[in-house]
Amino acid sequence: MKFFYKLNFVYLERNNSNNQMNFLAHIHLSGENEFIKIGNFMADGVRGKQYEKFPIDIQKGIVLHRAIDTFTDAHPVFRQSTKKLHSRYHHYAGVIVDMYYDHFLAKNWSNYHSESLTNYAANFYQSLTDNFQLLTPKTQNLLPYMVEYNWLVNYQSILGLERILSQMDHRTKNQSLMRFATEELVAHYDEFESEFALFYKEVHQFSNNKLNEL
């Protein structure tokens, strides 16, 4: 699985936002339009007004992604989660909380969607494959590994999350200390899960309102 971990880190390294590792959340917050989902998923690889070259619904997904990131960065509950990690992980705290939150979303998926996560993920992979020509080059390169290693389901277990964090830490020459990040997750598990539930309720409502505006 080394390619999975390597590409995850490359995706992290090439983007400045703190909120690009929560793939599952961004896709789910897009509603049921497959092109809005695609735009939201690949938005971190689209700079400035480059989004205007895409079909209108993909543009909406990109705009939605940016709005979600802004909402998240300023949200007091998200900041409360990252605060518990800042002293040890510094600017990686936001990335780690993103991954924690995707873990809780995957774990509690039946609370948020009627379709099983396995089917939901498979359908999204198929949508990306069917619309391959519309994807950014970065997303096209990521897709085979995303499908092979089933990224959207992968964060359900703490063990899977720990392996990913460890490999990402290795790519930073162990400077990020992310290999230890499941320690805080386990130590404050209920607290993080409660924060996720509160935050996700609000970001879900925010996203629905933004979709209506778009």
Side-chain angles (χ1 to χ4, degrees):
M1 295 179 69
K2 62 182 179 180
F3 292 111
F4 166 46
Y5 301 130
K6 180 178 180 181
L7 284 171
N8 246 315
F9 180 77
V10 168
Y11 197 77
L12 164 68
E13 188 177 48
R14 289 178 180 176
N15 293 280
N16 294 322
S17 170
N18 279 339
N19 301 303
Q20 57 269 349
M21 296 305 294
N22 50 345
F23 298 127
L24 182 59
H26 273 294
I27 297 163
H28 177 248
L29 293 171
S30 299
E32 299 304 321
N33 182 305
E34 68 173 327
F35 294 106
I36 294 179
K37 289 181 184 178
I38 290 171
N40 198 339
F41 172 71
M42 68 180 189
D44 278 314
V46 181
R47 299 303 180 202
K49 292 189 175 182
Q50 291 177 353
Y51 76 95
E52 294 177 349
K53 69 180 182 180
F54 293 99
I56 187 64
D57 281 343
I58 290 183
Q59 290 185 37
K60 290 179 181 179
I62 294 168
V63 172
L64 176 63
H65 180 108
R66 294 174 179 179
I68 290 170
D69 278 359
T70 299
F71 178 88
T72 300
D73 287 341
H75 199 283
V77 175
F78 185 83
R79 290 187 171 188
Q80 184 176 330
S81 291
T82 60
K83 187 176 181 180
K84 289 190 280 289
L85 304 176
H86 276 148
S87 63
R88 192 177 192 184
Y89 304 104
H90 309 293
H91 64 278
Y92 293 99
V95 173
I96 294 168
V97 171
D98 275 343
M99 297 173 74
Y100 287 179
Y101 281 12
D102 255 11
H103 163 70
F104 290 120
L105 178 57
K107 173 194 170 188
N108 299 294
W109 181 254
S110 62
N111 294 335
Y112 299 99
H113 205 282
S114 58
E115 186 177 17
S116 73
L117 180 57
T118 299
N119 289 343
Y120 183 89
N123 288 335
F124 182 68
Y125 302 150
Q126 189 61 53
S127 178
L128 292 176
T129 301
D130 292 344
N131 295 284
F132 189 81
Q133 75 283 358
L134 295 176
L135 306 180
T136 62
K138 289 179 183 179
T139 307
Q140 289 176 343
N141 290 333
L142 287 169
L143 180 57
Y145 306 104
M146 182 182 187
V147 173
E148 183 175 359
Y149 299 114
N150 202 3
W151 288 10
L152 298 183
V153 181
N154 197 61
Y155 293 149
Q156 278 185 319
S157 73
I158 293 177
L159 179 60
L161 188 62
E162 182 177 21
R163 288 172 178 167
I164 295 167
L165 288 164
S166 294
Q167 290 297 326
M168 291 173 66
D169 190 35
H170 177 70
R171 293 292 299 176
T172 68
K173 299 181 180 178
N174 297 326
Q175 293 179 3
S176 72
L177 303 180
M178 285 190 289
R179 65 190 181 279
F180 301 117
T182 54
E183 294 178 4
E184 284 82 6
L185 176 61
V186 171
H188 306 283
Y189 196 86
D190 291 343
E191 189 175 349
F192 278 122
E193 188 164 21
S194 295
E195 289 167 357
F196 160 76
L198 178 58
F199 168 78
Y200 205 72
K201 180 180 179 180
E202 296 188 11
V203 75
H204 198 187
Q205 184 61 56
F206 170 83
S207 300
N208 287 339
N209 292 341
K210 190 66 179 179
L211 281 169
N212 289 334
E213 291 176 13
L214 295 172

